[in-house]
Structure formats: C-alpha cells, structure tokens
Amino acid sequence: MKKLLYILFILPLCVFSQEKITGHITENVDNTEVPLGGANVYWLNTQVGTVTDFDGNFELDYKPEYKKLVISFVGYKTDTISVNSPKRITHSLKSTANLDEVTVTARQKATSRSFIQATNVLNVSSAELLKAACCNLAESFETNPSIDVNFADAISGTRQIKMLGLTSPYILITTENVPSIRGASQAYGLSFIPGTWVESIQITKGAGSVTNGYESIAGQINAELQKPTTDDKLFVNAYGAGNGRFELNTHLNTKVSERWSTGLYIHGNMRETEFDKNDDSFLDAPLMKQVNVMNRWQYTDTENGYVGFFNVRYLNDEKQTGQTFFNPDKDRGSTNAWGSEIKTQRFDVSGKFGFVNPDIPWRTGGLQIAYSHHDQESYFGLNDYNIQHNSLYANLLYNSIISDSRHKIKTGLSATYDGYDELVLTENFNRVENSVGAFFEYNFDNLDDLNFSAGIRADVHNTLGTFLTPRFHLRYSPWDKSAFRISAGRGKRSANIFTENQNLFATSRSLNILGNGGKIYGLDPEIAWNYGFSYMQGFNLFSRKADVTFDFYRTDFVNQIVVDWENPSEINFYNLDGESFSNNFQVEFNYNLFTHFDMRLAYKYYDVETTYISGKKQTPLTPSHRFFANASYQTHQNAKGANWKFDATFNYLGEQRFASTESYLNTIGLSEFSPSISTINAQITKVFSPNFEIYVGGENITNVTQSNPIVGSDNPFGTTFDTTYVYGPIFGSSYYAGLRYSIN
C-alpha cells in the first residue's frame, strides 16, 4: 500500500515536470569573461527561447528532439551549439568585429563594406580621408569611386557631388544622422564641414532608413564627427597649396569631469592670390576666407546608460570671384567689370542624447534635435540672390526586440520646421514648411545567411501633403564571403530651385518658372522610387585577400522639377511631363597585391535621361563611362612608429553632353559632346612618429585643363555669357604641402 501511494505521489511530478538546461553566457573584455545580459538563447527551428538575465544566466526547457541551441546578441557573432542531453552550458560570444570584412588597406580598415548588413553601406575611416588633402567634406571623395566630384561652374570653385547619376539634393546628407546639408546650404554646405572634423563617413546606396526622414532618393552620406573623448588632446593641421590656398585646423580636447568632456574645433582658410592662367580676364579660383568654430560637449554615464553630445557652431564664409580687375567697392552694380561676392553666416546648435537600459540592454532610446540659422547675401554680376533659412529638426527614437535579438524594431516620431526668405533678382519668395511624422522599422537579423529590414513612415506636411514612405533592404549569403542585396524605397522632397542651382545666376540667361499652381514656386513636390541590386564576393587571389562588387541601381521619377538648359537664352523650371530615370551600373575590385599595398579598380556606366520640352535627352554633363583606379602603399613601421605612405588616384571621364542646340554650340566653339578627360592625383606622407607627420601632394598632375571654360568671357554682360559649360579641371595642376601634429 505504501509503495502504491509513493507511485501515485511521484507520477504527477514526472508527468508535469520537464527536463531543463541551464547556462551562463559571457563576453571577453580585456581577457576577462564578463556576464552578457540580454543575450537570446533559443532552440533552432522552434519558438522556444529565453533571454539571459543581468548575470548572463538562463534556464530553458529541453526535449530530446531539440538538437541545436542558438545563442545571439546584437553586435556579436551568432553561435549554434549541439546539445544531446540536459546539462549546464557555459559559452562566450565573440564580437562581430572579428567577422570577415572587406578591407582596402592592410594596416587599417580605411574603406570597408560589411558582409552582414542588409543595407549597401561603404564605411570610410579617417585613414582613408588622410590619403588626400581633404580640406572639407566636398573634397573627401577623391579616392572613392561611388561618388562623382566636379566643379559646379567656372568661377565659384564650388565642388558638386553626384551619386547614382543624381546631384546632391537627391542625396540625404547628414551629420551624425541629423540632416545638415539641405535647403539654403545645398550649394556650398559641403565646404562648411572641415575634413579634419570628420571621424568617418558612411555612404549608403539606394533607399536609406525611414528613421532618417523621407527626403533620401539616391542614398545617404553620413559624416561622424570627432569625439572629445577619443580625439587627440591637441591636433594641428596646417596646409598650403600652389593655388594660393592656406588652411589651419586646431582641435583642443579636455576631460572636464568623470562624465563630461569638451572639444574646441577651429578651422580657418583663405586665398588672397589672384590666378588667371588661361588669360580670359577671369579668376581661375575665387578669393576667399572662412572662419569656422565648433564647441562640442560629450556626456557619458555608462553605469546608468546615458550618453549625450551637444554642439554649438559659428561660420563666416566669404568668396569673391569674377574678372581680375573687379573692385567690389567701385564696380558692384555697374558694367565696368563683372564680379561676384558670396557672403554666408551660419549658426548651428544640435544635441544628441541616448539611453540604454542597464537591466534590459536591448531597449534603447534616443533624441536628436538641431537648429540652424543660415544667412547668405550674394550677387553675380547684376543678378542679386539672398536667402535666409531657419531650420528646426527633432527626432525621437526607440529600439527594442521581439522575442529575441533576431527580431529588432525601431520606431519613433519626428518633426521639422523650415522658414525661407529669398530675394531672387528683384522678386521675393517666402515660404514656411513644417511636418510631423511617425515611423516603424522591423529588422530580422540572422548573421549566418539572411537579414532584412522593412520600414514605413507616415508624414503630414503643410506643402507636400499626407504621404507614406516605404523602404526595404534584404541581404542573403548563400555561401562563404558572399552577399546578395536588394533594396527598394520611395522618396519625396521639395526642390529649392534657386539655391540648388546658383550657377544659373552666373549666366546671361533669363529665368522662367512654368508652374501649374503648386505650393513650391508654383511647382509640385519631387517623388521618386529607387530600386537596387548588389552582389559582393570576397575571395583569395594568389593567397592574398580580394573582393569584387557588382551594383545596379535605378531611380524612376514620378515627378521631377526639370531644370531645362536646352534653350541657350533661358533656363526653364517645370514639372516633369514624361519619363525621367537614372540607371547606374558599377563594378569594383579591391585587392591586397602584397603586404601593405592595396589597389582598387572601378568602372561605372550611367544612363540618365530626362524628358524636356524639346524631347527626351541624356542629362547634360553626365558621362556615360567612368573608370577609376587607386593604389596605396605604406612601408613597415619602425619601433618609433615612423614610416612612409604613398597614394595615387586615376580618374577617366568619358564624353559628356552639353545642353543647348548643336547650332548654338558650334557658334560658341563647342561640339555636342565634351572630349573625354583623365586626371591623376597623388600624395606622399612621411610619418615621423604617431604624433607628427608631413605630406606633399599634387592634384591634376598631368595638367589637364578645359580650354575657354567661360563662354563669352570677352563680353560678360553680353547675351552669350555663361560659366556653366564645365566638364573638367579649370585651374590645371596644383601642388600642396602640409603637416599634422598631435598630442594624445
């Protein structure tokens, strides 16, 4: 009887209890195993899982049919463990920093693409930026084949960038993921961010994330700035060039308290020497001076999970260009001499605050806020153009997971305000734009072979209306060191037709807006879809690392503000009536030929067409073919950290179509297409120690120049005057030298 009672008592416990496994998950920090709280632990191909507690411990039900245990955490390599019986498991996860990555330089990851990200992102480090003079952000892409750089006109010295065949207004340009180069700063804003302030650059091709807004069409360029806690205590960069340009950059960083650090960043540049190498009576490069000062504060409280950045910046930039004998005090507003002045003052304040829950580390939040006041006063000959732009931006984000870290979500709210006050010739254009939006993005991340993100945002805008912006990215790796990517997304924006096309003022053309009653200069907003495919493969070639990437992206405009230069006496702005698209194909090959020597080759093909009043034509000044080659080598560092660095870049641009009728082009001495051109840039750096180095270099070493870049330069107030027919270098070869000194 007692045995029967014992069996009856034990039997329910056996029926209702389950076998379990227990374990402890850690990470290696400075050769010490530290508990990893918040790691996901689940049985493969099941919904059975759990999350480690703050001490890295977990407990999980076990069944004999469960054979594989998956352990994952954001930022770490996902591991799969075979389990044959209930037992205690101790395992250490490795950071994804140890995963394979495309590496362009042998000693530093100067430029890299990840095999595991869903988005097609090119990461450019400060080591890559040092390969060229890199005086400002506009000049930071000389060694990068994904971005095209050319002069916007023949007088202002302004560099214009393109990606996927589209100009910078179609690229979302951000500073630490806060939109910064937009509105009034579109034409010259890239030159307002000094190169030494930039810690790294992320270039995203195709549709970006919905968390950063709705304006991105061709992609995103994000510049991460130097951090007071990681930058040198003192950094000095002095630069001088044969074209009369001199620059000085100084960084001063200090730790104020245990949690507060601050940095003072000072930039100045000037050119006071006049050059007219082609004897057309116009300056080949503008006279200029700029003072740019930023104070940056960083707050870090790792114990409670808080981090924050606060920036204040003031900029004063002045340019003078035109004929060599132009005197602004006497000749402005007259026909004695043609001249131009562009004076810009800008004030920025921004803050970025983040929180990581120490007890639940996969839950994070952030707030981004930014305010800017931009004031430009300028004239081009007899054409006046002034603009004031006040901008306010706020973005609230929340990140978490669903079930386990394979399923991540981002959601939040954003708001923008833009007030414009423009004087165009003699007419005022004033408007206010504001919007409120909400976004949600889901990301599935299995580091082994598949991850994707799907996002959507809804915005209510006083001029663009109420609209949705969907974005999608997927990455699949069917075999080792491979990555197939596809992306699709929609973008919408208001075109600031005058500030984005300021080169039009340096012509004798009349300006016409052929509007239909839209809310932005009488025009409708621009809308476009972008689709992309990319395949990357890493491999070993003769026992050395190599990789090849194939990209194809297409942008289809639902509506575009067409800037029509086809009539030689006028410029017309109107809504697209027909087809406008951009097809971009690129193949890139990176190879570590031997120790410390890396090479990068790229070929790009563009097919960019727009429907004008006169018919569908290839977009002007866009080469169909471009070839790029870069080689870099550095000697082995000695015991004191000294070595030599060598870098050279070759660019070939195919012929480019000129706007205007062929009969008119023949009259001004141009054919329908420009000749192809090739340029070479090179730099040599001598590193004496980790704290001091000098560099010398040359741009356009082969001295390729465009003859007569200014049409009608002999009569600048005549009917044929035009400074926009620019397809290549204007100044010719230029050589420079500089030094970098730091105290760590």
Side-chain angles (χ1 to χ4, degrees):
M1 186 67 179
K2 289 183 178 179
K3 291 182 178 180
L4 180 60
L5 292 174
Y6 180 76
I7 293 173
L8 292 174
F9 179 76
I10 295 296
L11 183 60
L13 297 178
C14 295
V15 171
F16 293 105
S17 67
Q18 291 183 334
E19 294 181 295
K20 296 182 180 291
I21 65 167
T22 61
H24 184 59
I25 307 302
T26 63
E27 61 171 324
N28 189 285
V29 179
D30 296 329
N31 297 320
T32 301
E33 294 300 326
V34 177
L36 187 61
N40 300 281
V41 184
Y42 58 93
W43 294 109
L44 185 65
N45 298 324
T46 76
Q47 298 297 316
V48 181
T50 187
V51 177
T52 59
D53 62 21
F54 187 75
D55 296 319
N57 298 315
F58 73 92
E59 183 179 85
L60 192 61
D61 292 337
Y62 170 80
K63 291 182 180 180
E65 58 265 32
Y66 297 159
K67 301 296 184 183
K68 300 288 186 180
L69 186 69
V70 180
I71 305 171
S72 69
F73 190 76
V74 178
Y76 293 79
K77 184 180 184 299
T78 298
D79 288 338
T80 303
I81 302 172
S82 298
V83 179
N84 298 317
S85 62
K87 58 183 179 180
R88 180 168 177 80
I89 294 172
T90 300
H91 186 76
S92 178
L93 287 182
K94 294 181 179 179
S95 168
T96 54
N98 297 322
L99 295 180
D100 285 327
E101 196 171 52
V102 178
T103 304
V104 175
T105 61
R107 300 181 65 86
Q108 298 184 31
K109 296 176 182 178
T111 304
S112 64
R113 283 189 178 92
S114 171
F115 283 100
I116 60 177
Q117 284 182 284
T119 50
N120 188 2
V121 180
L122 179 68
N123 297 291
V124 181
S125 72
S126 57
E128 180 74 10
L129 300 179
L130 296 180
K131 290 183 177 181
C134 189
C135 298
N136 56 58
L137 189 58
E139 299 165 324
S140 300
F141 306 104
E142 298 291 346
T143 61
N144 189 299
S146 296
I147 304 295
D148 300 315
V149 183
N150 197 14
F151 288 101
D153 54 65
I155 61 165
S156 69
T158 304
R159 299 196 186 225
Q160 175 181 265
I161 66 170
K162 292 183 180 181
M163 183 162 68
L164 307 185
L166 300 174
T167 54
S168 57
Y170 298 108
I171 308 168
L172 178 62
I173 304 177
T174 60
T175 303
E176 299 187 322
N177 285 313
V178 174
S180 56
I181 311 299
R182 57 186 299 275
S185 64
Q186 274 288 357
Y188 310 115
L190 288 171
S191 66
F192 297 161
I193 302 179
T196 64
W197 293 10
V198 178
E199 179 186 70
S200 63
I201 300 173
Q202 294 78 46
I203 302 171
T204 303
K205 287 187 175 182
S209 170
V210 294
T211 62
N212 296 319
Y214 50 80
E215 293 181 324
S216 171
I217 291 177
Q220 178 177 342
I221 297 175
N222 178 59
E224 286 292 323
L225 301 182
Q226 298 286 357
K227 312 295 189 293
T229 56
T230 56
D231 193 16
D232 298 313
K233 292 181 180 179
L234 171 66
F235 174 81
V236 177
N237 175 38
Y239 165 93
N243 63 8
R245 181 173 175 177
F246 296 92
E247 295 206 0
L248 180 64
N249 295 278
T250 304
H251 304 180
L252 297 166
N253 295 283
T254 185
K255 187 173 183 180
V256 178
S257 66
E258 183 181 351
R259 295 176 179 175
W260 284 97
S261 298
T262 186
L264 182 63
Y265 299 81
I266 304 172
H267 166 87
N269 71 64
M270 62 182 296
R271 180 189 288 117
E272 294 184 334
T273 306
E274 297 182 353
F275 290 92
D276 181 18
K277 291 186 175 182
N278 57 9
D279 296 322
D280 63 356
S281 83
F282 276 78
L283 295 173
D284 297 333
L287 307 178
M288 63 184 189
K289 56 183 177 181
Q290 182 186 118
V291 176
N292 203 342
V293 181
M294 179 177 68
N295 184 209
R296 185 163 165 81
W297 289 81
Q298 180 175 353
Y299 176 81
T300 307
D301 181 1
T302 55
E303 182 179 351
N304 296 305
Y306 292 101
V307 64
F309 294 92
F310 181 74
N311 304 328
V312 180
R313 183 179 70 138
Y314 172 77
L315 163 87
N316 186 78
D317 183 81
E318 298 181 5
K319 297 183 179 69
Q320 179 191 322
T321 188
Q323 292 183 291
T324 55
F325 49 88
F326 173 75
N327 184 335
D329 296 328
K330 295 195 246 181
D331 300 325
R332 177 178 178 177
S334 74
T335 57
N336 297 331
W338 195 99
S340 169
E341 287 186 293
I342 306 167
K343 298 181 179 181
T344 304
Q345 289 191 347
R346 184 178 175 91
F347 175 72
D348 302 327
V349 180
S350 63
K352 184 177 179 180
F353 311 96
F355 171 71
V356 179
N357 191 323
D359 298 323
I360 313 175
W362 60 88
R363 292 182 183 174
T364 64
L367 174 65
Q368 301 167 318
I369 54 175
Y371 167 78
S372 65
H373 172 76
H374 186 106
D375 187 359
Q376 176 187 325
E377 295 184 357
S378 55
Y379 62 90
F380 305 80
L382 301 179
N383 297 327
D384 289 337
Y385 178 68
N386 300 332
I387 181 170
Q388 277 193 3
H389 178 195
N390 290 296
S391 178
L392 182 63
Y393 171 86
N395 197 25
L396 181 66
L397 303 98
Y398 172 75
N399 302 316
S400 188
I401 63 174
I402 302 174
S403 177
D404 58 63
S405 67
R406 294 175 301 167
H407 309 277
K408 293 180 281 290
I409 61 169
K410 296 180 181 179
T411 188
L413 302 171
S414 61
T416 64
Y417 168 88
D418 293 289
Y420 296 95
D421 183 2
E422 283 183 287
L423 172 66
V424 181
L425 305 182
T426 59
E427 188 173 356
N428 286 303
F429 292 88
N430 301 325
R431 77 181 192 277
V432 171
E433 296 188 18
N434 52 64
S435 70
V436 177
F439 54 86
F440 179 85
E441 186 175 83
Y442 167 76
N443 180 263
F444 173 80
D445 191 359
N446 182 342
L447 295 180
D448 290 334
D449 52 20
L450 174 70
N451 65 338
F452 67 86
S453 66
I456 191 166
R457 65 177 294 133
D459 288 273
V460 179
H461 195 287
N462 67 322
T463 58
L464 305 186
T466 301
F467 57 95
L468 297 177
T469 305
R471 305 274 172 84
F472 178 80
H473 300 267
L474 181 143
R475 187 272 312 175
Y476 176 62
S477 298
W479 48 77
D480 188 38
K481 293 184 179 180
S482 67
F484 285 91
R485 291 184 174 92
I486 60 172
S487 68
R490 182 178 186 263
K492 191 172 185 177
R493 64 182 294 271
S494 56
N496 293 282
I497 58 175
F498 297 116
T499 192
E500 293 169 8
N501 299 278
Q502 291 192 41
N503 55 346
L504 61 85
F505 295 114
T507 72
S508 62
R509 298 169 182 250
S510 62
L511 309 180
N512 303 307
I513 301 176
L514 310 180
N516 61 350
K519 294 183 179 181
I520 310 160
Y521 305 105
L523 301 168
D524 297 330
E526 295 190 302
I527 304 172
W529 286 87
N530 183 280
Y531 315 93
F533 168 82
S534 177
Y535 170 63
M536 180 171 62
Q537 181 65 57
F539 55 94
N540 288 332
L541 181 63
F542 304 113
S543 300
R544 309 296 301 185
K545 287 186 177 181
D547 66 83
V548 63
T549 304
F550 299 90
D551 290 338
F552 176 78
Y553 286 87
R554 178 179 174 89
T555 303
D556 276 313
F557 282 92
V558 178
N559 183 56
Q560 184 180 24
I561 305 305
V562 178
V563 185
D564 189 341
W565 299 74
E566 300 303 315
N567 186 325
S569 63
E570 60 188 26
I571 301 169
N572 294 310
F573 298 94
Y574 49 84
N575 292 312
L576 176 69
D577 183 14
E579 190 178 24
S580 181
F581 61 84
S582 172
N583 292 322
N584 168 233
F585 170 77
Q586 177 175 321
V587 56
E588 181 177 336
F589 173 70
N590 295 290
Y591 186 42
N592 175 224
L593 188 61
F594 53 85
T595 303
H596 299 166
F597 183 91
D598 296 277
M599 58 182 293
R600 183 185 310 146
L601 305 174
Y603 166 76
K604 286 203 296 191
Y605 171 75
Y606 286 126
D607 177 20
V608 187
E609 296 186 10
T610 301
T611 302
Y612 300 95
I613 292 175
S614 55
K616 189 165 71 171
K617 298 180 180 180
Q618 179 183 340
T619 302
L621 298 176
T622 302
S624 296
H625 305 279
R626 180 190 174 192
F627 179 74
F628 171 95
N630 175 265
S632 61
Y633 172 72
Q634 55 180 304
T635 61
H636 182 73
Q637 287 185 346
N638 63 19
K640 296 181 179 180
N643 69 338
W644 289 85
K645 298 178 181 179
F646 305 88
D647 191 87
T649 301
F650 170 80
N651 267 297
Y652 167 83
L653 299 178
E655 61 181 20
Q656 306 172 51
R657 188 182 78 86
F658 288 121
S660 301
T661 62
E662 188 172 0
S663 60
Y664 174 76
L665 293 171
N666 291 335
T667 301
I668 62 175
L670 296 173
S671 58
E672 185 178 1
F673 290 89
S674 73
S676 59
I677 58 171
S678 300
T679 60
I680 297 176
N681 299 338
Q683 180 176 287
I684 301 174
T685 303
K686 169 57 179 173
V687 180
F688 294 93
S689 72
N691 303 106
F692 181 68
E693 62 186 52
I694 61 174
Y695 56 93
V696 295
E699 297 180 338
N700 189 19
I701 293 175
T702 51
N703 199 34
V704 176
T705 56
Q706 177 180 343
S707 60
N708 301 320
I710 299 178
V711 175
S713 60
D714 57 337
N715 184 16
F717 297 98
T719 57
T720 62
F721 179 70
D722 201 315
T723 67
T724 63
Y725 288 93
V726 178
Y727 62 87
I730 301 168
F731 192 85
S733 59
S734 177
Y735 297 91
Y736 61 85
L739 63 86
R740 303 183 183 102
Y741 174 74
S742 63
I743 298 177
N744 306 118

